[in-house]
Amino acid sequence: MLKLHDELIAKLSNLLTAQNYNPVVIANNRLYGRAFLDYLVECDIPVETVVPAQVDQYFVYAIQDFEAQYGRPPSPRWHMLPRSAIAKVLRLAQGKWPPDAEMVGPDSEHRHEICNEYETWLRDERGLASASIAALMWEARNFLRWQFDRGGVASLQALAVTDVDRYMDMRAPGLRRKSLADVAERLRSVVRYLHRTGRIPTDLTPHIIGPMLYAYEDVPSTLDKSQIAAVLGATKEDQSPRGLRDYAILQMLATYGLREGEICRLRLEDVNWRGESLRIRHTKTNAYSYMPLLAHVGEALLDYLRLGRPGTEIREIFIRSLAPYTAITNLYGMIRGRLAAAGVEPAGKRGPHVFRHARAVEMLRASVPQKIIGDVLGHRSTESTNAYLKLATDDLRAVALDVPGTEVLS
């Protein structure tokens, strides 16, 4: 066991070194990883069989040990680095950490089988995009775990309307109407599949009802031209590697109105420098479209690739600015920070979609046909594009007609 632990710590060091971690961070990870492995030796627990509950038990022990050494409890954030180091060690030892949620608890094998079949059906039969599959799978795992904990595998055969009502009641607290409607839609998909495969005798989908939503009831957040210029100008002043990356991303958001996932998944081979074009894989449809590589976007990309992008074999263009140098997966924190730094405070949400909405409005005001706007934004139907008409209400007022026999209100 001790030899295996030494090998794990050596692998941990090599992994973090290859990912360009700071030497101090590597030393701290080694220290925390070794402390956890020593605890496993004392408890006679093989590292290959560790489960999340045993990691939690270790932290109870570690906090008590900290208090004994220093006479005070650790700070609330103290556990973050040790937990991260332990996760890396367990990932090396077990191949995957944390374990799949559906493999924990009673009836896990049957639940795992259903989830695997459902995921295959969503991907191969329905052809859904990865993001949609991930959301549906989360709901499926959560619902099946909840139902099996209440009545076991056999309870599916007796599933009734009251059961799905209880599940919706359990999910409702803290959710907005739109989010709860999404839960109902995902639950209908799961229940429909269970009925389709004979696991539920009655089709309960007509009885899974979410809150009523009205078409175009919410006006999306957006930015005007001056706000976009302010954000781009403030970000351009930051010539650090992170600043160069963020400026290139913001230029692409403002110019093309891309989704977050389309930016994060953009790869080096998607940029055709000679042909001056970009290949975009749309997140929701998995379809490809080609955009012209405009000069200001190309210059921002080149500056980042030459001066800001870390040395890594990863093919995605936009990389984390700190080790580990992996592809970025979320733009919300960056967008909020850059908006705040520029003193821009849009009403409502402050994520990457504010640039997408602004681009849509700009095209609407330029009299670009709705079909072309939808193609640029990667929409499947004109209904998706119609939502952006709400953002051009000033333009609609400008072309309003007087109705004979009525008084125009000011």
Side-chain angles (χ1 to χ4, degrees):
M1 185 181 288
L2 292 176
K3 182 179 179 181
L4 172 61
H5 290 181
D6 290 340
E7 291 174 355
L8 286 173
I9 295 299
K11 287 181 180 179
L12 178 65
S13 285
N14 293 337
L15 175 66
L16 298 181
T17 301
Q19 293 178 341
N20 296 308
Y21 274 87
N22 184 289
V24 175
V25 176
I26 295 175
N28 286 336
N29 274 267
R30 287 174 56 93
L31 177 67
Y32 290 123
R34 175 64 73 180
F36 176 68
L37 293 174
D38 290 344
Y39 167 82
L40 295 183
V41 171
E42 291 181 16
C43 298
D44 196 26
I45 300 173
V47 67
E48 302 95 331
T49 65
V50 171
V51 297
Q54 291 169 324
V55 176
D56 293 338
Q57 290 169 4
Y58 166 73
F59 275 98
V60 173
Y61 161 82
I63 290 171
Q64 292 173 348
D65 186 59
F66 187 101
E67 291 177 342
Q69 287 190 53
Y70 300 102
R72 60 175 178 82
S75 70
R77 295 173 60 86
W78 166 84
H79 67 89
M80 294 178 66
L81 181 56
R83 192 174 290 276
S84 175
I86 291 168
K88 291 183 179 72
V89 169
L90 291 173
R91 205 168 290 125
L92 290 170
Q94 300 186 6
K96 184 176 184 179
W97 186 268
D100 291 332
E102 67 266 21
M103 293 303 292
V104 178
D107 304 311
S108 60
E109 184 176 345
H110 192 72
R111 189 163 62 243
H112 187 60
E113 177 186 350
I114 294 174
C115 287
N116 279 345
E117 291 179 9
Y118 181 52
E119 184 172 14
T120 300
W121 179 72
L122 292 172
R123 183 181 61 251
D124 297 345
E125 298 294 328
R126 295 193 58 194
L128 298 183
S130 299
S132 299
I133 292 175
L136 287 163
M137 288 305 303
W138 189 94
E139 204 67 58
R141 293 187 183 100
N142 198 56
F143 171 69
L144 289 171
R145 189 183 308 113
W146 176 84
Q147 181 62 25
F148 284 11
D149 286 347
R150 295 170 66 240
V153 175
S155 66
L156 284 183
Q157 285 293 320
L159 194 72
V161 175
T162 54
D163 297 311
V164 294
D165 285 346
R166 288 193 187 101
Y167 179 78
M168 290 296 295
D169 290 342
M170 182 273 293
R171 293 282 279 119
L175 294 182
R176 299 176 62 190
R177 289 168 56 246
K178 175 64 170 66
S179 298
L180 191 57
D182 290 341
V183 171
E185 182 179 352
R186 294 193 294 265
L187 182 60
R188 277 194 293 271
S189 175
V190 176
V191 170
R192 185 180 297 114
Y193 177 78
L194 292 172
H195 171 64
R196 187 172 177 273
T197 54
R199 293 182 171 96
I200 296 177
T202 306
D203 183 9
L204 301 175
T205 52
H207 304 285
I208 303 174
I209 302 171
M212 179 67 73
L213 299 178
Y214 300 95
Y216 320 133
E217 62 177 282
D218 292 328
V219 176
S221 305
T222 188
L223 302 173
D224 60 36
K225 286 186 176 181
S226 64
Q227 290 174 315
I228 292 174
V231 175
L232 290 173
T235 307
K236 191 172 184 179
E237 293 178 1
D238 182 358
Q239 291 296 301
S240 68
R242 178 178 290 179
L244 294 172
R245 182 201 66 188
D246 293 354
Y247 181 69
I249 290 173
L250 291 171
Q251 280 285 12
M252 297 193 74
L253 287 170
T255 303
Y256 304 114
L258 299 178
R259 298 183 179 95
E260 176 188 54
E262 292 160 356
I263 293 277
C264 294
R265 296 190 333 194
L266 193 68
R267 296 169 66 88
L268 294 170
E269 55 268 28
D270 291 328
V271 184
N272 184 343
W273 296 101
R274 292 187 178 182
E276 297 184 346
S277 68
L278 286 172
R279 181 178 65 177
I280 307 297
R281 185 167 65 142
H282 295 290
T283 307
K284 292 190 176 181
T285 63
N286 276 333
Y288 285 95
S289 64
Y290 291 84
M291 306 285 188
L293 180 59
L294 301 182
H296 59 281
V297 177
E299 290 169 4
L301 275 175
L302 272 177
D303 286 343
Y304 170 61
L305 292 173
R306 289 173 175 169
L307 305 173
R309 190 175 186 270
T312 175
E313 295 181 358
I314 293 174
R315 300 301 296 173
E316 282 78 14
I317 289 178
F318 297 110
I319 305 297
R320 283 167 43 93
S321 57
L322 298 174
Y325 295 132
T326 56
I328 59 173
T329 57
N330 188 297
L331 302 181
Y332 280 81
M334 183 275 282
I335 299 293
R336 284 195 297 269
R338 294 300 177 181
L339 289 172
V344 174
E345 299 182 0
K349 297 179 180 179
R350 303 183 183 187
H353 258 60
V354 294
F355 291 90
R356 182 173 174 81
H357 298 157
R359 181 66 181 128
V361 172
E362 184 180 358
M363 288 189 283
L364 282 168
R365 288 172 177 167
S367 299
V368 176
Q370 247 181 281
K371 176 64 170 65
I372 295 177
I373 296 175
D375 291 343
V376 171
L377 298 179
H379 288 160
R380 274 180 172 166
S381 68
T382 56
E383 287 299 312
S384 300
T385 311
N386 284 343
Y388 298 117
L389 287 170
K390 295 179 295 182
L391 296 168
T393 51
D394 291 339
D395 304 75
L396 296 177
R397 290 193 189 101
V399 298
L401 299 176
D402 292 343
V403 179
T406 63
E407 180 181 355
V408 178
L409 299 178
S410 59

